[in-house]
């Protein structure tokens, strides 16, 4: 009994020491590692025309398109990839709960019966009931480091899920604009087919009346067939665009989704802030930084594993031939024990674990730096393309206007017999090319606006 008392006192003293041990969460160290891994960050975006401080929010609503907002909400609810990302968050939370459970005592109850006897003789039976408890005292913070690492993993998974939400919203918006562009290209090509059909009719009438020639008839028919072929191809592309959007929404890809028939206006540019802003705003960069913190707690855990570990165990139970007497004090027995385990020779396994954990910190820091550089590049490219596309749109609007005027004049001259049909058809192709490019640029402006908001880490809500 005295020995047990001494053991209990020693265990109590060691438990008190546990309260003095501190465990780093890895957050501050992760921030230092993250900053050290980055190159020098510019004071402002190089491609930005103005420097405005602020965070882009509500960028889906900025397009002023209720249909788009409805589709984004549908994708957030039904997209399969997003559901998988949500399941990953739940799995990380469950793992954190498992790591947290290692810090608390483990208590289990047992009950059993036993019957024995001779084959040809009397038999006897007995029952037992007991409780066992065990607890590993976290002297050096190994278990708490494991718990902190699991918490950082949860934070990273949550940030990844949030970025997945943003990415799905951006993908829906981009696919939606592509579907509208395909419809606009189809309508443009349909109008060209109708114009060429009328030109072909006039050409044949002129030939039948002895005014035209067979070459014009053949040329007109060839151009009309080419335009009809283009229309068939564009109608197929339109259906594919609708299917891609339906998959994002979690729908069956039947190409029967209804979208608006015109592209929305390009909203005002978002506040772009400064490059350092996105390090604290973009969810994917937050996730990468949390993974540095997770790796740092892994180093702490590996180092603590090299130190002695203390475990406390105890049990209380009774056994009796009579179930009613099983809890009688005379039938109860108890045990209490403590064990201290210190590694002596492990072939270098624990040192290797520390080395491995350190390399994981280095890898996490490198991944963070790579993700940050990609993010900076995303914003710079999007800002640059904003300027490029705006300038292209001005030139294409001028080109389309001039081409349409040239076509009007050429058709008048052809009707008067002052020019050849081939001149009219060439100008008509220029009109088609200019107006088609203009539609694409308008859609590209919208897509780049989506890309810019996503690159800046703005919320889709």
């Amino acid at each position: 009994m005295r020995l047990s008392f001494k053991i209990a006192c020693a265990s109590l003293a060691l438990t008190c020491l546990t309260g003095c041990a501190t465990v780093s969460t890895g957050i501050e160290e992760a921030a230092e590692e993250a900053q050290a891994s980055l190159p020098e960050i510019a004071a402002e975006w190089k491609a930005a025309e103005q420097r405005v401080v602020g965070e882009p929010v509500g960028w889906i609503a900025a397009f002023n398109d209720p249909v788009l907002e409805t589709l984004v909400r549908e994708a957030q609810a039904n997209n399969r990839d997003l559901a998988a990302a949500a399941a990953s968050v739940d799995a990380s939370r469950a793992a954190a709960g498992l790591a947290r459970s290692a810090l608390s005592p483990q208590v289990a109850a047992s009950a059993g019966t036993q019957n024995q006897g001779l084959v040809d003789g009397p038999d006897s039976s007995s029952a037992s009931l007991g409780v066992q408890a065990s607890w590993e005292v976290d002297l050096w913070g190994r278990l708490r480091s494991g718990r902190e690492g699991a918490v950082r993993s949860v934070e990273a998974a949550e940030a990844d899920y949030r970025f997945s939400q943003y990415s799905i919203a951006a993908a829906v918006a981009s696919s939606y604009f592509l579907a509208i562009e395909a419809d606009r290209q189809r309508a443009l090509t349909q109008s060209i087919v109708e114009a060429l059909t009328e030109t072909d009719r006039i050409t044949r009438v002129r030939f039948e009346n002895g005014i035209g020639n067979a070459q014009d008839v053949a040329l007109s028919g060839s151009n009309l067939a080419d335009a009809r072929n283009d229309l068939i191809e564009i109608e197929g592309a339109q259906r594919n665009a609708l299917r891609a959007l339906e998959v994002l929404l979690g729908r069956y890809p039947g190409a029967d989704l209804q979208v608006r028939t015109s592209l929305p206006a390009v909203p005002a540019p978002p506040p772009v802030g400064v490059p350092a802003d996105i390090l604290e705003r973009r969810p994917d960069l937050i996730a990468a930084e949390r993974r540095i913190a997770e790796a740092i707690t892994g180093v702490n855990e590996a180092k603590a594993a090299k130190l002695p570990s203390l475990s406390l165990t105890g049990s209380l139970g009774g056994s009796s031939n009579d179930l009613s007497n099983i809890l009688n004090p005379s039938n109860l027995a108890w045990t209490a024990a403590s064990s201290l385990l210190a590694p002596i020779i492990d072939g270098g396994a624990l040192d290797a674990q520390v080395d491995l954990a350190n390399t994981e910190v280095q890898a996490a820091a490198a991944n963070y730096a790579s993700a940050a550089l990609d993010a900076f590049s995303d914003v710079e490219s999007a800002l640059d393309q904003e300027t490029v596309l705006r300038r292209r749109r001005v030139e294409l609007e001028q080109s389309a206007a001039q081409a349409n005027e040239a076509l009007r004049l050429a058709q008048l001259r052809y009707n008067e017999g002052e020019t050849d049909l081939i001149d009219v058809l060439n100008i008509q192709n220029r009109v088609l090319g200019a107006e088609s490019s203009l539609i694409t640029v308008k859609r590209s402006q919208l897509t780049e606006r989506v890309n810019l908001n996503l690159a800046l880490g703005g919320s889709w809500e």
Side-chain angles (χ1 to χ4, degrees):
M1 185 68 181
R2 289 181 179 178
L3 179 60
S4 299
F5 178 76
K6 291 179 180 180
I7 292 174
C9 289
S11 300
L12 179 60
L14 288 171
T15 304
C16 292
L17 287 175
T18 307
C20 301
T22 59
V23 177
S24 169
T25 61
I27 292 295
E28 293 182 359
E29 296 93 328
E32 293 174 359
E33 287 281 351
Q35 289 298 323
S37 67
L38 295 175
E40 183 179 354
I41 301 175
E44 60 185 33
W45 299 106
K46 300 299 183 183
E49 294 183 352
Q50 57 182 344
R51 182 170 178 267
V52 184
V53 178
E55 180 176 355
V57 292
W59 56 272
I60 291 295
F63 289 104
N64 195 28
D65 189 335
V67 175
L68 174 59
E69 294 182 40
T70 300
L71 293 178
V72 168
R73 285 194 293 269
E74 182 179 345
Q76 297 292 325
N78 301 326
N79 184 268
R80 301 301 187 263
D81 293 334
L82 197 56
S88 296
V89 175
D90 292 338
S92 296
R93 289 173 179 164
L98 186 62
R100 189 184 308 112
S101 68
L103 286 166
S104 67
Q106 308 295 308
V107 180
S110 64
T113 60
Q114 179 178 355
N115 295 299
Q116 62 181 7
L118 300 175
V119 174
D120 187 14
D123 59 4
S124 63
S125 62
S126 63
S128 62
L129 183 67
V131 177
Q132 296 85 35
S134 62
W135 181 34
E136 181 180 345
V137 182
D138 194 23
L139 290 176
W140 321 112
R142 181 180 64 83
L143 298 178
R144 279 174 291 169
S145 292
R147 179 197 62 186
E148 291 298 333
V151 170
R152 301 289 85 80
S153 179
V154 170
E155 292 172 347
E158 289 174 341
D160 282 336
Y161 176 69
R162 189 160 62 253
F163 194 68
S164 294
Q165 286 184 305
Y166 296 175
S167 299
I168 291 297
V172 168
S174 297
S175 296
Y176 176 71
F177 298 144
L178 278 171
I180 296 175
E181 181 198 358
D183 182 69
R184 298 305 307 143
Q185 298 285 8
R186 179 203 58 76
L188 173 62
T189 306
Q190 179 65 50
S191 68
I192 294 298
V193 168
E194 292 172 358
L196 288 175
T197 300
E198 179 62 16
T199 299
D200 185 65
R201 185 189 68 78
I202 294 173
T203 302
R204 293 180 184 277
V205 169
R206 288 165 61 91
F207 176 70
E208 291 169 359
N209 292 329
I211 301 174
N213 56 62
Q215 177 180 315
D216 285 349
V217 172
L219 184 60
S220 173
S222 175
N223 267 45
L224 178 58
D226 283 342
R228 287 172 175 167
N229 173 69
D230 291 340
L231 180 60
I232 294 171
E233 183 179 7
I234 289 174
E235 287 174 341
Q238 181 188 18
R239 291 191 293 272
N240 286 338
L242 291 174
R243 290 190 184 98
L245 180 54
E246 287 168 333
V247 169
L248 286 171
L249 300 176
R251 298 188 189 183
Y252 181 82
D256 52 8
L257 180 66
Q258 296 297 318
V259 297
R260 60 184 290 171
T261 56
S262 61
L263 291 166
V266 180
V272 297
V274 295
D277 289 346
I278 63 172
L279 299 177
E280 299 178 355
R281 189 161 62 206
R282 270 186 58 145
D284 58 331
L285 296 183
I286 294 173
E289 188 269 339
R290 290 296 183 268
R291 290 193 170 92
I292 298 177
E294 179 186 359
I296 289 173
T297 60
V299 174
N300 297 336
E301 186 177 7
K303 289 180 177 178
K306 298 175 64 177
L307 302 173
S309 62
L310 173 66
S311 297
L312 305 178
T313 59
S315 65
L316 175 67
S319 177
S320 173
N321 293 332
D322 187 353
L323 188 61
S324 62
N325 294 325
I326 197 170
L327 297 179
N328 190 306
S330 62
N331 293 325
L332 292 176
W334 63 270
T335 62
S338 63
S339 62
L340 192 66
L341 178 65
I344 299 176
I345 300 175
D346 64 358
L350 294 176
D351 287 333
Q353 287 290 343
V354 174
D355 293 340
L356 178 60
N358 279 317
T359 60
E360 289 175 348
V361 172
Q362 297 170 9
N367 288 334
Y368 175 85
S370 177
L373 286 173
D374 288 342
F376 295 144
S377 178
D378 290 343
V379 179
E380 293 284 7
S381 297
L383 289 172
D384 187 51
Q385 282 301 302
E386 287 260 338
T387 303
V388 170
L389 291 171
R390 184 169 61 251
R391 294 171 61 186
R392 286 187 60 198
R393 179 170 178 171
V394 171
E395 299 301 332
L396 283 172
E397 287 174 342
Q398 181 70 10
S399 174
Q402 295 294 328
N404 274 291
E405 177 62 14
L407 178 61
R408 185 185 69 82
L409 296 174
Q411 286 174 332
L412 288 176
R413 294 182 64 195
Y414 175 70
N415 293 338
E416 297 294 329
E418 296 178 0
T419 188
D420 295 331
L421 177 63
I422 192 170
D423 293 331
V424 176
L425 295 178
N426 285 337
I427 295 175
Q428 203 160 35
N429 284 333
R430 291 182 68 87
V431 170
L432 174 62
E435 293 192 345
S436 176
S437 296
L438 183 57
I439 292 172
T440 299
V441 163
K442 289 179 179 179
R443 190 272 307 161
S444 297
Q445 283 186 292
L446 294 168
T447 301
E448 282 304 322
R449 185 55 49 82
V450 171
N451 293 340
L452 176 59
N453 280 279
L454 181 63
L456 290 172
S459 170
W460 60 271
E461 296 176 342

